[in-house]
Each structure stands twice: as structure tokens, then as C-alpha cells.
Amino acid sequence: MIQHLLHISHVSKHFGGNVAVSDVSFSVNEKQIFGLIGPNGAGKTTLFNCITGFFPATAGDVIFDNKKINALRPDQVCKLGMVRTWQRVKPLENLTVLENVMVGAFSITNSTGEAEANAMEQLQKVGLTDYVKKSAGSLPIGLKKKLELARVLATHPKMLLLDEICGGLNHTETDLLLDIIRGIRMKGATIVFIEHDMKAVTSICDRIVVLNSGEKLAEGTPEEITSNPDVIAAYLGGGHHA
Ligand SMILES: Nc1ncnc2c1ncn2[C@@H]1O[C@H](COP(=O)(O)OP(=O)(O)O)[C@@H](O)[C@H]1O
Ligand SMILES: [Mg+2]
């Protein structure tokens, strides 16, 4: 049976007089890859921050796995099975690649041996086994993005929120990462995917929500979204994301 794993209900976030997110509602089903798109400043990252407990929503409810999680901290949300990656990747630069992923693994075990085995498994999934001993800070951006993904995978999440994980990557690196993400979904995880590259979004997402100036402009399948006149006018028509 298909179930909603995440339900966003009338969520708003105000920063003083600035309404970053305004009355946004949508639901994400189990094992979906769900796209969140919209112009810069539309409120996508802010919504992720509200969902994952980095700051509370001003109004509305975030329901994950049938629990209201509005007031929870990021570590508590992580324990429930939801993790996010950062638009600007922030590995612990002086630790090795392996140690960075072990930090994620320690959220579900206190055993160093288990954490290391888990971390190695995730590094294998994202194709970073050649870099385990390298310092994280020495990696180029494409590999830092893979490291970021391995770090959150080590928490064994039910749901991953990926904030522009393909940003700054070339087409080959993007295609590789999309395949890895498809593999993660095949193993049973649910994914919410913020991304500007429309080719990437439409190729991987089952369903898409478009934000514009903090408001939900449209929701539908990739075909519905790319042919929606409001979306074309507000976002796709400008030529800057084609
Ligand atoms: N911590 C914050 N404090 C104040 N304003 C913020 C903060 N985070 C985001 N904003 C504002 O919220 C709006 C949405 O930003 P953001 O969520 O980063 O958009 P997107 O990720 O879609 O590009 C912008 O006007 C931004 O300046
Ligand atoms: Mg953003």
C-alpha cells in the first residue's frame, strides 16, 4: 500500500517582514523521488530547514511517518529517519573521508567497528573507496557532494532531502549521481530533491512542486510541470535554467 511518508500542511516561515515560505502544502509518498523547484530565493532551502528542524516553521505542520515533528531538533528528526544534505557542502575538512562518514554512522551506533563497516559500505555505494584516507578538504566539489551523500546514507534514513546535490557538477558527474540516487530509492528510501537542472529533475522525479516567491505555484508530474503555462512564465521561460 502506498502511504504518505511526509506531509507538509500550510507551512509558512517569516523572517521579520520577509515571508520566505507562505502556506505551502504537499505530501510525499513512500519511495517517491519528489522534486522541489523554483527560482533562487523561492524558499526551497528554507522549507528544508523547517522540515528538518533547523528552525521552526512560523505556522503549519510537518508530519513525518505519522508524527508531528514541528518542534523537534535536527538530531531528533535524524533519529526518526530523515536527513538532509546542504546546498553548500560542509564536510569536516581536516578529517578523512572515512571519518566524515563515520560521524554520520555514529548516529545509529556507538561501536567504532560497526561505524567503520557502515561507512565503508556507503563509500562503496557512492564510489569513493579510493579516497577513504584522503582529507575531506582535499576533494574536488564533485567528490565532496558524493561524500555528503555517503554521510547521510550512513544514518540509514527512510527519507533524504537533497539540496542542490548536483549543483556545480558537470553532466557526467550529474548523471552518475542521479544513478546513485535511483539506486538509493530502489533500496526503499524516499527522496525530496531540490535541483535547478530541469533535465535532471524531469528525468528522476515522479512528482514535482514548484515554489515561487515562497508560494506553491504548481504541483504535478514532470510532463504536467514542464507544460504548465504559469510555471513556464515564472520559472522555465526565462531561459536561465533551460
Ligand atoms: N536565516 C535566514 N534569515 C533571514 N532570511 C532568510 C534566511 N534564510 C533564507 N532567508 C530568505 O528567505 C528567502 C528564501 O530563501 P531560500 O530558502 O534560501 O531560497 P531558495 O533555496 O529557494 O533559493 C530569501 O528571501 C532569503 O533571503
Ligand atoms: Mg536554496
Side-chain angles (χ1 to χ4, degrees), residues 15 18 20 38-47 55 87:
F15 295 106
N18 180 3
N40 278 328
K44 305 180 295 295
T45 297
T46 299
L47 191 54
F55 44 60
Q87 184 171 351

Side-chain angles (χ1 to χ4, degrees), residues 36-57:
L36 190 57
I37 67 172
N40 278 328
K44 305 180 295 295
T45 297
T46 299
L47 191 54
F48 268 19
N49 286 331
C50 292
I51 295 171
T52 50
F54 285 88
F55 44 60

Side-chain angles (χ1 to χ4, degrees), residues 38-142:
N40 278 328
K44 305 180 295 295
T45 297
T46 299
L47 191 54
F48 268 19
N49 286 331
C50 292
I51 295 171
T52 50
F54 285 88
F55 44 60
T58 308
D61 282 335
V62 180
I63 314 287
F64 176 64
D65 214 4
N66 298 316
K67 288 175 213 67
K68 183 169 158 173
I69 62 167
N70 293 42
L72 298 188
R73 297 186 312 261
D75 58 304
Q76 295 171 316
V77 173
C78 174
K79 284 236 161 25
L80 291 178
M82 185 201 284
V83 287
R84 60 92 59 87
T85 63
W86 295 92
Q87 184 171 351
R88 290 177 222 295
V89 291
K90 20 184 172 179
L92 301 161
E93 305 254 329
N94 296 323
L95 297 189
T96 66
V97 165
L98 177 63
E99 287 162 345
N100 265 273
V101 182
M102 285 174 70
V103 170
F106 278 125
S107 74
I108 53 169
T109 179
N110 291 321
S111 148
T112 306
E114 276 177 28
E116 182 166 344
N118 175 355
M120 284 304 296
E121 190 187 327
Q122 309 315 327
L123 286 164
Q124 181 144 27
K125 254 181 228 162
V126 303
L128 280 182
T129 44
D130 289 348
Y131 300 86
V132 286
K133 297 251 160 59
K134 294 255 183 328
S135 78
S138 72
L139 297 184
I141 182 70

Side-chain angles (χ1 to χ4, degrees), residues 10-224:
H10 301 287
V11 166
S12 297
K13 179 66 189 179
H14 300 180
F15 295 106
N18 180 3
V19 181
V21 175
S22 177
D23 196 25
V24 170
S25 301
F26 60 85
S27 297
V28 181
N29 291 340
E30 263 180 8
K31 298 192 191 178
Q32 243 176 358
I33 301 184
F34 196 98
L36 190 57
I37 67 172
N40 278 328
K44 305 180 295 295
T45 297
T46 299
L47 191 54
F48 268 19
N49 286 331
C50 292
I51 295 171
T52 50
F54 285 88
F55 44 60
T58 308
D61 282 335
V62 180
I63 314 287
F64 176 64
D65 214 4
N66 298 316
K67 288 175 213 67
K68 183 169 158 173
I69 62 167
N70 293 42
L72 298 188
R73 297 186 312 261
D75 58 304
Q76 295 171 316
V77 173
C78 174
K79 284 236 161 25
L80 291 178
M82 185 201 284
V83 287
R84 60 92 59 87
T85 63
W86 295 92
Q87 184 171 351
R88 290 177 222 295
V89 291
K90 20 184 172 179
L92 301 161
E93 305 254 329
N94 296 323
L95 297 189
T96 66
V97 165
L98 177 63
E99 287 162 345
N100 265 273
V101 182
M102 285 174 70
V103 170
F106 278 125
S107 74
I108 53 169
T109 179
N110 291 321
S111 148
T112 306
E114 276 177 28
E116 182 166 344
N118 175 355
M120 284 304 296
E121 190 187 327
Q122 309 315 327
L123 286 164
Q124 181 144 27
K125 254 181 228 162
V126 303
L128 280 182
T129 44
D130 289 348
Y131 300 86
V132 286
K133 297 251 160 59
K134 294 255 183 328
S135 78
S138 72
L139 297 184
I141 182 70
L143 299 186
K144 277 186 180 157
K145 296 261 175 168
K146 289 182 170 181
L147 174 58
E148 177 86 348
L149 192 54
R151 183 181 60 76
V152 296
L153 284 174
T155 69
H156 290 174
K158 290 183 197 144
M159 173 170 265
L160 295 89
L161 278 60
L162 307 178
D163 195 348
E164 299 199 23
I165 191 116
C166 300
L169 304 189
N170 65 35
H171 287 306
T172 314
E173 290 169 324
T174 297
D175 286 345
L176 265 171
L177 210 50
L178 293 182
D179 275 341
I180 294 167
I181 292 166
R182 287 189 187 96
I184 294 167
R185 185 258 290 274
M186 288 287 285
K187 291 230 163 75
T190 307
I191 291 155
V192 186
F193 185 69
I194 295 179
E195 181 54 55
H196 279 301
D197 178 345
M198 279 306 287
K199 196 164 147 270
V201 170
T202 52
S203 75
I204 201 170
C205 293
D206 306 304
R207 197 164 179 81
I208 297 171
V209 157
V210 186
L211 291 186
N212 189 38
S213 304
E215 295 179 2
K216 181 165 124 177
L217 180 70
E219 175 174 354
T221 63
E223 296 72 28
E224 287 164 351

